[in-house]
Amino acid sequence: MGKYNFDQLIDRHGSGAMKVDSLNEFFGRDDLLGLWIADMDFAVSPRIREALSRRIEHPVYGYAGAPQSYWDSITGWLARRHNWNVKREEITYIPGVVKGIALAINFFTQRGDKVVIQPPVYHPFRMVTEGNDRVVVNNPLIFDGESYRMDLEGLERIFRDEHPKMMILCNPHNPVGIQWSVDVLQEVARLAKKYGVTVVSDEIHADLMLYGKPHFPFASVSPEAAEVSITLGAPSKTFNIAGLVSSWCVVKNPKLREPFFHWLMVNEFDAPTFIATIGTEAAYTQGEDWLDEMLEYIEGTIAEVEEIVAEKLPDIKVIRPEASFLVWLDCRGLCMSHDELIKLFVNKAHLALNDGAMFGAEGSGFMRLNIGSPRSVIRYSLESLADALASVCAE
Ligand SMILES: Cc1ncc(COP(=O)(O)O)c(C=O)c1O
């Protein structure tokens, strides 16, 4: 047993956690086990909690600045964990990665402009684009039944024929768990530069690489990638602190960065709360051992999921993630309609997973399982699913 107890069951009811307190709103009933929205049920590192508690104890909660040590903690982390050199002036605070995408869309594109996404992909990419009256152009990933790859020919066709202004890259890619290779990222960058497309690279899952695999920050793979990209990241997924609302944005190219950062600054979109800066600094400077242990725990849970599914749910295929605590389940072998699949999970097994179709039509027949919970919970959920399936088959 390590230093931290990821087996600990923590009751999150009444804490305002969407995962458990918003079930009715999203699933139409409360009696479900929450395995959906991408946060974890693990206790946050004691170092982060102590840093926040110390500040909360101070009786004055006035306007907060961002000290140099906060910026150093982010750039130090990116250099240490991802071998990526980022200068102070290349980085700013943003109030969330989805909000960062929204800000970039609003700043760099106009109404009616086209934005490329690659479904199945994190659904706010589409919602934010369409919600701002921009037009989504899909370049779906290619699935060969075992793994996914990017359709680079499709991407070039779209860049050439549809003249999009922006592409939203998910690196690593939620929900299929892929870290894109350097070759693929270099090709995306080459195409983006050739056709004048700005690439927003969402790297929120970057710190959650599994099995010792490296993450490749898009902006680091070539001079073209640095030139065309806006990178968004955060300690939120990494350290289970999404509720602190702390994210960052890196732009290497001064021609993109200077006007964008100026606009963020005059509108005060780059003004953090003290909770954000203190939580982030504590995470990046003192949270590393917690993270490494947590990732090991997740790897062990994936092995158990694979084992239980192979034994009790053989018609479901587990797509093993290279990154993060989200497991993409190919449920098409159950030969159910997508509606029947959702009824099986929600009404019969009482499990709240993300419905694969929310990530795009390509996700129909798939479900996304959040395994950021104690293993006993994940075991119980898969056993409940197997029992529910047996009861449906017996009907
Ligand atoms: C790819 C991706 N981007 C962004 C987010 C959300 O980030 P934020 O809460 O900072 O908007 C998530 C959360 O699941 C995600 O998976």
Side-chain angles (χ1 to χ4, degrees), residues 38 95-99 101 122 125 170 172 174 202 204-205 234 236-237 242 247 326 368:
V97 167
V98 173
K99 294 181 201 85
I101 296 171
Y122 183 56
F125 287 13
C170 202
N174 172 16
D202 175 338
I204 199 168
H205 295 277
S236 53
K237 302 274 169 233
S247 309
L326 305 168
R368 193 191 74 175

Side-chain angles (χ1 to χ4, degrees), residues 36-39 94-101 121-125 169-175 202-205 232-234 236-237 242-243 245-248 324-326 359 368:
W36 58 301
I37 192 166
D39 63 25
I94 46 164
V97 167
V98 173
K99 294 181 201 85
I101 296 171
V121 73
Y122 183 56
H123 50 297
F125 287 13
L169 177 70
C170 202
N171 180 44
H173 191 107
N174 172 16
D202 175 338
E203 306 199 349
I204 199 168
H205 295 277
L232 308 175
S236 53
K237 302 274 169 233
V245 188
S246 178
S247 309
W248 46 259
S324 209
F325 49 87
L326 305 168
F359 303 105
R368 193 191 74 175

